[in-house]
Amino acid sequence: MPDYHVARDLPKTTDFLVVGGGVVGLSLALEIRRRRPGASVCVIEKEPDVGAHASGRNSGVLHAGFYYSADSLKARLCREGNARMQAWCEEHKVPLRKCGKLVVARNEQERTGLSELKRRGDDNGVSLELISAEDVQRIEPRAQSFGEALFSPSTAAVSPRAVMISLARAAVSRGIELVLDTAWLKRHEQTHTTTRGAIHAGFMVNAAGLHAVKIAQDLGFANDYAMLPFKGHYLYGNDTAGTLAVHVYPVPDLDLPFLGVHFTVTVDGRVKIGPTATPAWWLENYGAVGRSGFFQGFSIGELGSILGQQGRLFIGDPSFRRHAMREPRKSFRRALVSEASSLIDGVKPESFVTWGRPGIRAQLVHRRRSELVMDFCFESGPRSLHVLNAVSPGFTCAFSFAELLADAIDDEPNHRS
């Protein structure tokens, strides 16, 4: 049973219907409720719990906002989102670890990447220090860096599960109806059919993550886009908690929306390696090859569509092609540990044997351009708004992104107040 109260029945009518009980859906529901205390808000979630997918399976890192170009929504929203999520955790007694992050260079080329990240951080107003090799050793003696490194003091760690529970409890306490085990099926005019009956809604918010594009296309939106899933694997270390002081990241390939395999310190001091970003074959392809449960959520239609889109990207996008060729090997334990071992000293394969729950990144792709969409993306109309791309740092940005989305709803002339 969930650790919060949920509605037993689907209401017959609501002013605002939010489809998706992830971090974006719940944050936006709270923001709508704050702006319109007299309006009714209902959140439906197809799973028996909130945050069952990316929101509850991510690394739990609160990003500072220095990876993103200054003209992006990610850059605009991340710094404030970080501060607001940390404040939320402190107010609601959610575990928070203010550990900071090191981004280390492994060669001369990556030192150039550090300079670009520092420039972006400065453009975005993010506190970020370019530090010497001596300072790296002072902050984290095990970290390896080819000369300088970047230190981000505002990067932190949370428990995604604890954050999601706090959001669900806050939503229920503020009069939002939260209905689980309820999937959206279709809409006719303003009547939405679900697996638990029909609901009439003045305005609909589609925050369905992996399934957001399909729902949007059913309503005439997102015609230029497709959804591509990327699987993230984690390995937990069995060393004593506290063996690593900070997160340690590599310099990422800035042509891709992934940050590379890294070391994360969890809220309880444990260390984990990951995540990978392996192209998956269907939307909820959580299982591992050769293990029981691999075909969970299998869809032949999704398989054909996704493999076709991956093939077009492989041909047309050199960055994706390089990524797709090197990433699958990291699904194997020794390869993943070997990849991460270039970041810190003393990494032993026998110390990392416990796999964590895999996650699926709901990554938007522009079909005509055959390119991954790097920034947040949404589309709206008179009676609905569709969140199409809310990938990392979407969890960090949830509250600031919710304000932006609520502004877009306010701008629609026919929304129900």
Side-chain angles (χ1 to χ4, degrees), residues 144-178:
Q144 303 183 73
S145 189
F146 189 84
E148 301 92 351
L150 289 175
F151 179 61
S152 167
S154 59
T155 301
V158 297
S159 162
R161 170 67 181 162
V163 169
M164 294 309 302
I165 291 174
S166 73
L167 291 172
R169 288 174 173 169
V172 170
S173 71
R174 296 172 196 182
I176 295 169
E177 295 193 79
L178 179 56

Side-chain angles (χ1 to χ4, degrees), residues 11-163:
K12 298 298 182 184
T13 184
T14 187
D15 294 322
F16 291 89
L17 174 66
V18 179
V19 179
V23 69
V24 173
L26 288 179
S27 298
L28 182 51
L30 286 165
E31 180 63 18
I32 292 170
R33 186 68 168 171
R34 184 187 70 80
R35 296 188 184 199
R36 300 175 179 82
S40 55
V41 182
C42 176
V43 178
I44 63 172
E45 165 58 48
K46 75 181 182 70
E47 305 293 351
D49 199 358
V50 297
H53 295 281
S55 295
R57 294 170 178 259
N58 65 75
S59 66
V61 172
L62 298 185
H63 295 284
F66 57 84
Y67 289 109
Y68 322 111
S69 58
D71 59 348
S72 66
L73 288 176
K74 290 182 177 182
R76 174 180 164 188
L77 301 175
C78 193
R79 186 182 65 169
E80 179 190 352
N82 176 297
R84 291 185 61 182
M85 184 61 79
Q86 291 201 39
W88 174 275
C89 291
E90 290 172 343
E91 178 185 353
H92 293 268
K93 305 296 187 294
V94 174
L96 174 67
R97 191 179 190 91
K98 298 183 178 183
C99 55
K101 174 201 291 187
L102 283 172
V103 181
V104 299
R106 293 171 290 189
N107 51 52
E108 188 62 41
Q109 182 180 356
E110 290 191 351
R111 289 180 69 178
T112 303
L114 287 178
S115 299
E116 173 61 17
L117 292 177
K118 181 64 167 67
R119 184 191 68 78
R120 292 187 181 191
D122 291 343
D123 289 346
N124 299 343
V126 175
S127 176
L128 191 63
E129 305 169 35
L130 186 62
I131 63 175
S132 67
E134 291 75 18
D135 286 333
V136 170
Q137 293 301 298
R138 176 179 54 82
I139 293 170
E140 174 47 63
R142 296 178 63 191
Q144 303 183 73
S145 189
F146 189 84
E148 301 92 351
L150 289 175
F151 179 61
S152 167
S154 59
T155 301
V158 297
S159 162
R161 170 67 181 162
V163 169

Side-chain angles (χ1 to χ4, degrees), residues 78-302:
C78 193
R79 186 182 65 169
E80 179 190 352
N82 176 297
R84 291 185 61 182
M85 184 61 79
Q86 291 201 39
W88 174 275
C89 291
E90 290 172 343
E91 178 185 353
H92 293 268
K93 305 296 187 294
V94 174
L96 174 67
R97 191 179 190 91
K98 298 183 178 183
C99 55
K101 174 201 291 187
L102 283 172
V103 181
V104 299
R106 293 171 290 189
N107 51 52
E108 188 62 41
Q109 182 180 356
E110 290 191 351
R111 289 180 69 178
T112 303
L114 287 178
S115 299
E116 173 61 17
L117 292 177
K118 181 64 167 67
R119 184 191 68 78
R120 292 187 181 191
D122 291 343
D123 289 346
N124 299 343
V126 175
S127 176
L128 191 63
E129 305 169 35
L130 186 62
I131 63 175
S132 67
E134 291 75 18
D135 286 333
V136 170
Q137 293 301 298
R138 176 179 54 82
I139 293 170
E140 174 47 63
R142 296 178 63 191
Q144 303 183 73
S145 189
F146 189 84
E148 301 92 351
L150 289 175
F151 179 61
S152 167
S154 59
T155 301
V158 297
S159 162
R161 170 67 181 162
V163 169
M164 294 309 302
I165 291 174
S166 73
L167 291 172
R169 288 174 173 169
V172 170
S173 71
R174 296 172 196 182
I176 295 169
E177 295 193 79
L178 179 56
V179 188
L180 304 178
D181 285 312
T182 304
W184 185 93
L185 297 176
K186 62 182 180 179
R187 184 187 77 174
H188 177 67
E189 296 181 346
Q190 289 176 249
T191 298
H192 298 258
T193 303
T194 78
T195 51
R196 297 196 39 197
I199 179 171
H200 184 277
F203 195 95
M204 174 230 197
V205 172
N206 167 18
L210 286 163
H211 303 277
V213 168
K214 173 63 168 62
I215 291 174
Q217 290 173 346
D218 286 348
L219 300 183
F221 294 85
N223 293 318
D224 289 332
Y225 299 107
M227 184 63 71
L228 280 187
F230 287 80
K231 187 184 303 185
H233 289 292
Y234 296 92
L235 267 175
Y236 280 88
N238 56 18
D239 292 340
T240 304
T243 57
L244 201 64
V246 297
H247 307 312
V248 182
Y249 279 60
V251 176
D253 181 346
L254 294 177
D255 290 329
L256 292 168
F258 314 117
L259 299 183
V261 168
H262 51 265
F263 285 90
T264 299
V265 184
T266 66
V267 288
D268 57 0
R270 297 180 67 193
V271 177
K272 63 182 179 182
I273 295 173
T276 60
T278 308
W281 298 338
W282 55 91
L283 293 180
E284 297 185 19
N285 178 202
Y286 288 109
V289 175
R291 300 178 194 169
S292 62
F294 174 70
F295 287 99
Q296 179 183 352
F298 175 74
S299 165
I300 187 66
E302 291 174 6

Side-chain angles (χ1 to χ4, degrees), residues 194-406:
T194 78
T195 51
R196 297 196 39 197
I199 179 171
H200 184 277
F203 195 95
M204 174 230 197
V205 172
N206 167 18
L210 286 163
H211 303 277
V213 168
K214 173 63 168 62
I215 291 174
Q217 290 173 346
D218 286 348
L219 300 183
F221 294 85
N223 293 318
D224 289 332
Y225 299 107
M227 184 63 71
L228 280 187
F230 287 80
K231 187 184 303 185
H233 289 292
Y234 296 92
L235 267 175
Y236 280 88
N238 56 18
D239 292 340
T240 304
T243 57
L244 201 64
V246 297
H247 307 312
V248 182
Y249 279 60
V251 176
D253 181 346
L254 294 177
D255 290 329
L256 292 168
F258 314 117
L259 299 183
V261 168
H262 51 265
F263 285 90
T264 299
V265 184
T266 66
V267 288
D268 57 0
R270 297 180 67 193
V271 177
K272 63 182 179 182
I273 295 173
T276 60
T278 308
W281 298 338
W282 55 91
L283 293 180
E284 297 185 19
N285 178 202
Y286 288 109
V289 175
R291 300 178 194 169
S292 62
F294 174 70
F295 287 99
Q296 179 183 352
F298 175 74
S299 165
I300 187 66
E302 291 174 6
L303 176 66
S305 174
I306 288 168
L307 288 180
Q309 189 61 60
Q310 288 175 353
R312 287 186 287 274
L313 277 172
F314 192 90
I315 294 170
D317 185 339
S319 294
F320 176 82
R321 182 163 58 249
R322 290 194 304 271
H323 179 82
M325 292 177 67
R326 69 190 180 203
E327 197 70 12
R329 63 181 292 272
K330 300 174 190 174
S331 299
F332 298 94
R333 185 179 65 85
R334 287 193 173 273
L336 182 56
V337 175
S338 176
E339 173 80 10
S341 65
S342 62
L343 302 176
I344 68 172
D345 285 326
V347 178
K348 301 175 182 177
E350 61 269 23
S351 296
F352 289 87
V353 296
T354 304
W355 290 102
R357 284 201 314 162
I360 299 286
R361 177 190 182 100
Q363 174 63 54
L364 194 67
V365 61
H366 197 288
R367 292 193 294 193
R368 282 191 296 106
R369 298 174 188 159
S370 282
E371 62 184 23
L372 302 179
V373 177
M374 300 288 283
D375 204 3
F376 298 148
C377 178
F378 64 93
E379 293 182 1
S380 62
R383 294 290 179 185
S384 64
L385 179 143
H386 304 268
V387 184
L388 305 177
N389 206 44
V391 292
S392 179
F395 191 91
T396 302
C397 296
F399 293 128
S400 51
F401 193 24
E403 284 195 350
L404 180 72
L405 296 171

